[in-house]
Amino acid sequence: MAHATWESMPLTFDTTGFEHLDGTRWFDPNTRDVVVLSMQQALPRSPVWLYEIDVLRRELARTHAARVLPGPSPGISPVPTATLLEADAVLLGGSMALYTLVAEKLPKSPTGRLFRASFVLAKADRTAVLTGQFEEWQVSGIRESLVHINRGGPSKKDGGHPYDPQLPYEPSDDPAWDAQFPHHPLTKARAWVRTVRESAVVHREFAALPGLRAR
């Protein structure tokens, strides 16, 4: 990545464990995990932003829950394909960013999921997005099954989504279970998030741009 400009590399971060694939993409050949950094000449489409994080969390949770597949047969409820697990306003290299963690159903797997962690830095007329994708590609569903069997474990949560009680929520997605499943892609996604937050450096020219304001 010699001669990279701030427009193509608005931030740097620890890529330990990943191979540089091309441009601003990194890949773990052992797990198929992928990290992508992109710069978009556009701003997030949202009536609220980080200054109304509780409202934004609820809206994001509802938006993801609305992504469904038709039921397997007439009369069967549609199947949700995505769930917002976490959303927060965080400091990334000194700049405010939207952090989200989303679980997505894998199309050809009855239980497999992909966990997508993202940081969105909106500045002036452009947005930098750093995303890590962590996929269940071998045996899937073990974490969910064991947690449902052992409801007396570290997480006592049972019921609705933490951002909207009317939405469904998988108890095994609670971070309290991560220590018992250190190699699960959700645990790895959260570990990657911590590494990025600790190591990210935002390019000074990008950081100096005005932040996103209400329109």
Side-chain angles (χ1 to χ4, degrees):
M1 283 180 288
H3 309 298
T5 64
W6 70 267
E7 286 95 344
S8 61
M9 278 291 292
L11 62 93
T12 58
F13 54 96
D14 186 354
T15 59
T16 301
F18 290 88
E19 296 181 2
H20 182 211
L21 189 59
D22 59 60
T24 51
R25 294 194 299 167
W26 296 263
F27 176 69
D28 185 335
N30 297 315
T31 63
R32 303 182 187 175
D33 299 336
V34 177
V35 172
V36 179
L37 174 62
S38 65
M39 180 78 93
Q40 304 170 4
Q41 296 294 321
L43 293 174
R45 296 181 178 178
S46 174
V48 299
W49 193 232
L50 303 182
Y51 44 83
E52 294 186 60
I53 188 61
D54 289 337
V55 177
L56 183 58
R57 282 171 173 157
R58 185 170 60 252
E59 292 305 313
L60 289 172
R62 292 173 177 175
T63 298
H64 283 87
R67 295 167 54 186
V68 298
L69 291 174
S73 60
I76 303 299
S77 300
V79 179
T81 61
T83 303
L84 176 71
L85 303 184
E86 299 171 2
D88 204 0
V90 302
L91 273 177
L92 193 65
S95 294
M96 290 302 300
L98 171 64
Y99 155 66
T100 59
L101 178 60
V102 176
E104 299 180 356
K105 179 178 174 57
L106 294 176
K108 297 182 180 181
S109 171
T111 58
R113 294 188 295 167
L114 179 147
F115 299 90
R116 191 188 310 274
S118 299
F119 295 94
V120 179
L121 293 86
K123 294 279 191 176
D125 60 348
R126 64 194 70 196
T127 304
V129 182
L130 176 63
T131 300
Q133 298 182 169
F134 303 83
E135 180 181 333
E136 285 185 297
W137 59 278
Q138 292 182 322
V139 179
S140 62
I142 294 178
R143 175 168 173 156
E144 293 85 345
S145 297
L146 292 178
V147 169
H148 280 277
I149 292 172
N150 181 24
R151 285 299 182 89
S155 173
K156 302 297 191 296
K157 290 184 180 178
D158 187 13
H161 195 284
Y163 300 150
D164 186 338
Q166 301 302 314
L167 299 178
Y169 183 77
E170 168 55 54
S172 65
D173 291 338
D174 191 286
W177 292 99
D178 288 353
Q180 297 192 29
F181 301 93
H183 303 296
H184 191 273
L186 176 53
T187 304
K188 291 168 61 182
R190 290 189 172 115
W192 177 78
V193 166
R194 291 191 294 270
T195 297
V196 170
R197 292 190 62 182
E198 293 169 358
S199 65
V201 177
V202 178
H203 196 288
R204 63 180 181 275
E205 292 189 49
F206 183 62
L209 294 174
L212 175 63
R213 302 297 180 189
R215 297 186 296 277

